[in-house]
C-alpha cells in the first residue's frame, strides 16, 4: 500500500501548531479557515508558504477587522407625543471605516423632564441594555446628549410658549453669515424682556449654557449694547440680504454699498467710524473697477475710465 503522508495525527499537529482559528482538518485534508481553501500539508514548508502569501495575510486582516468590537456612537433625541409627554429616544450606531455604519433604536422612555440630569440617567440605563454583563466603555467613542440646542427641547419650547405667547423661537445664527447674527441682535433687542423672563425661569439643573445666559441677561450693559447695535447697524442685515440677491443690477449693488457707508458714518459713538470699511474698499481694486463701470452705465462722466 502507498504511504499516506497526510495522516490524521500529523494534520492535527499542524492545526495545533499554526492555530485552530486558522486551520482545521479531517482525516485527510488540511483546510484554511481564513482563505476557505484546502492547503497542501505534504511538508511543513507548504503551510508556512501559504500563510506568508499576500492573499492569506489580506484575508486574515479583513477577518480580524470584522471580528473586532465596533466602536459605538450614541445619540439621544427628545420630543413630545400627542399627550405632551417628554419622550427620549436613544439611537446607537456603529462607526465604520469604509462604509456607513448601521443605526438602531436602542431605548425609548417617557421622562418627567428633559434636562442633562434625566438624559444622563437614561444613558446609563441604555448602555446596560446594550452590555448587561459589563459596559464596554472604551467602545463608546461619541455620545451626543445635546441633540437639540437652546430653547428647542420640548420642555423649553413649552415654557417659552407659555411665558412669551405669540413670539417666535429665537433664531440660530450661522457662523459664516453675518446677516444672521445681525438678525439675532434685532430679535433679542425687540424681545429682550420676554427672553430674560424665560431664561430666569429655567431650573438650576438645566444646561450649563443657560446658567451662563442667566448671568448675561442680568447684566444691564447687555440690553444697552443690543439697543445700540440695532439702532445704528440693524439695517445691515437687510442690505447684506439684498447684495446676496441674484439678478441685482450692478448700479444697485454699488448704490447699496454707498448707502451702507453713509449710514455707518451717521452712527453715534466711536464704534460708528468707517475707517475699516474705507480701508477694505480702497484696497479692493475690483470694487473700484465695478464702481467706474457702474457710473458709465448710469450715464455719469467718469474720468478714470482709461485707467481700467
Amino acid at each position: 500500500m502507498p504511504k499516506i503522508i497526510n495522516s490524521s495525527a500529523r494534520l492535527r499537529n499542524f492545526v495545533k501548531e499554526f492555530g485552530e482559528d486558522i486551520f482545521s482538518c479531517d482525516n485527510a485534508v488540511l483546510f484554511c479557515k481564513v482563505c476557505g481553501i484546502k492547503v497542501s500539508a505534504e511538508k511543513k514548508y507548504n503551510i508556512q508558504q501559504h500563510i506568508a502569501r499576500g492573499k492569506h495575510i489580506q484575508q486574515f486582516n479583513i477577518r480580524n477587522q470584522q471580528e473586532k468590537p465596533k466602536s459605538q456612537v450614541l445619540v439621544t433625541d427628545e420630543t413630545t407625543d400627542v399627550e405632551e409627554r417628554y419622550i427620549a429616544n436613544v439611537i446607537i450606531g456603529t462607526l465604520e471605516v469604509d462604509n456607513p455604519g448601521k443605526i438602531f433604536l436602542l431605548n425609548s422612555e417617557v421622562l418627567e423632564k428633559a434636562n442633562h440630569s434625566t438624559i444622563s440617567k437614561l444613558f446609563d440605563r441604555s448602555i446596560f441594555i446594550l452590555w448587561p454583563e459589563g459596559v464596554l466603555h472604551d467602545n463608546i467613542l461619541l455620545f451626543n446628549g445635546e441633540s437639540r440646542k437652546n430653547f428647542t427641547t420640548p420642555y423649553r419650547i413649552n415654557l417659552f410658549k407659555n411665558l412669551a405667547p405669540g413670539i417666535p423661537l429665537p433664531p440660530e445664527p450661522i457662523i459664516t453669515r453675518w446677516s444672521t447674527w445681525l438678525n439675532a441682535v434685532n430679535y433679542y433687542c425687540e424681545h429682550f424682556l420676554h427672553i430674560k423672563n424665560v431664561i430666569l425661569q429655567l431650573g438650576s439643573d438645566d444646561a450649563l449654557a443657560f446658567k451662563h445666559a442667566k448671568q448675561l441677561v442680568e447684566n444691564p450693559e447687555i440690553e444697552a449694547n443690543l439697543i445700540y447695535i440695532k439702532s445704528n447697524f440693524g439695517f445691515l442685515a437687510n442690505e447684506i440680504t439684498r447684495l446676496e440677491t441674484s439678478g441685482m443690477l450692478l448700479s444697485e449693488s454699488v448704490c447699496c454699498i454707498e448707502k451702507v457707508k453713509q449710514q455707518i458714518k451717521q452712527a453715534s459713538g466711536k464704534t460708528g467710524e468707517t475707517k475699516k470699511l474705507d480701508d477694505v474698499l480702497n484696497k479692493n481694486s475690483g470694487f473700484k473697477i465695478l464702481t467706474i463701470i457702474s457710473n458709465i452705465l448710469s450715464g455719469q462722466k467718469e474720468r478714470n475710465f482709461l485707467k481700467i
Side-chain angles (χ1 to χ4, degrees):
M1 293 180 62
K3 183 179 179 181
I4 300 177
I5 300 176
N6 294 339
S7 65
S8 59
R10 189 160 178 265
L11 293 177
R12 286 196 297 270
N13 288 335
F14 284 146
V15 171
K16 185 176 181 181
E17 179 179 353
F18 290 98
E20 295 181 358
D21 60 329
I22 305 296
F23 293 103
S24 64
C25 69
D26 54 17
N27 293 331
V29 177
L30 182 67
F31 184 79
C32 178
K33 295 181 179 180
V34 176
C35 301
I37 60 174
K38 298 177 183 179
V39 177
S40 173
E42 183 176 354
K43 294 181 180 180
K44 183 177 179 179
Y45 172 76
N46 298 127
I47 304 173
Q48 293 173 331
Q49 190 179 42
H50 171 79
I51 61 177
R53 289 175 179 170
K55 183 178 180 181
H56 176 87
I57 295 173
Q58 182 182 17
Q59 292 298 322
F60 180 79
N61 291 334
I62 292 174
R63 191 187 70 170
N64 283 352
Q65 186 65 34
Q66 292 173 342
E67 293 177 352
K68 182 180 179 181
K70 297 183 183 300
S71 300
Q72 312 289 337
V73 53
L74 278 82
V75 178
T76 61
D77 178 72
E78 308 96 48
T79 185
T80 54
D81 62 7
V82 293
E83 298 179 2
E84 297 299 323
R85 297 178 301 176
Y86 302 122
I87 308 297
N89 301 308
V90 179
I91 302 168
I92 184 172
T94 57
L95 296 176
E96 307 284 354
V97 177
D98 300 321
N99 53 281
K102 297 180 180 179
I103 300 175
F104 307 94
L105 175 63
L106 178 63
N107 191 17
S108 183
E109 293 187 12
V110 178
L111 303 179
E112 181 180 352
K113 191 176 181 180
N115 54 46
H116 77 274
S117 177
T118 57
I119 293 300
S120 296
K121 294 176 182 178
L122 172 66
F123 172 74
D124 287 338
R125 292 192 295 270
S126 299
I127 59 177
F128 276 104
I129 295 175
L130 184 61
W131 294 296
E133 297 181 359
V135 178
L136 303 178
H137 292 95
D138 292 340
N139 282 10
I140 304 175
L141 297 188
L142 177 64
F143 171 63
N144 183 357
E146 271 299 304
S147 57
R148 295 173 183 268
K149 300 178 182 178
N150 301 328
F151 286 102
T152 55
T153 61
Y155 162 69
R156 295 168 191 155
I157 289 176
N158 290 337
L159 178 65
F160 186 93
K161 289 181 178 179
N162 290 332
L163 297 178
I167 296 177
L169 290 173
E172 296 186 11
I174 301 172
I175 293 178
T176 56
R177 301 192 64 180
W178 284 101
S179 61
T180 62
W181 290 98
L182 291 167
N183 283 328
V185 170
N186 294 339
Y187 170 90
Y188 285 110
C189 181
E190 295 172 5
H191 308 296
F192 183 80
L193 294 179
H194 289 95
I195 298 298
K196 179 179 179 180
N197 186 33
V198 173
I199 291 176
L200 294 178
Q201 292 297 320
L202 292 170
S204 58
D205 56 347
D206 273 286
L208 182 62
F210 282 95
K211 295 179 181 179
H212 182 57
K214 288 181 180 181
Q215 298 174 356
L216 290 176
V217 297
E218 291 179 329
N219 184 346
E221 293 184 2
I222 295 297
E223 184 175 11
N225 289 337
L226 290 172
I227 293 173
Y228 176 82
I229 295 173
K230 182 179 185 300
S231 300
N232 292 281
F233 309 106
F235 71 94
L236 283 172
N238 291 332
E239 298 304 325
I240 292 175
T241 302
R242 281 189 62 202
L243 290 171
E244 293 174 341
T245 304
S246 61
M248 190 177 188
L249 296 176
L250 176 60
S251 58
E252 293 177 346
S253 299
V254 173
C255 287
C256 181
I257 295 175
E258 292 298 328
K259 176 185 174 182
V260 168
K261 289 175 61 178
Q262 294 303 318
Q263 287 192 250
I264 290 180
K265 286 181 180 180
Q266 297 173 8
S268 305
K270 293 183 178 180
T271 311
E273 294 179 356
T274 59
K275 185 177 184 305
K276 183 174 183 179
L277 177 61
D278 290 335
D279 289 342
V280 171
L281 293 178
N282 289 333
K283 293 178 181 178
N284 191 331
S285 58
F287 178 73
K288 293 180 181 179
I289 295 174
L290 291 176
T291 302
I292 293 172
I293 295 174
S294 175
N295 291 338
I296 294 173
L297 295 176
S298 300
Q300 302 179 33
K301 293 182 179 180
E302 184 53 65
R303 297 178 180 178
N304 296 321
F305 174 69
L306 297 177
K307 296 181 180 181
I308 299 179

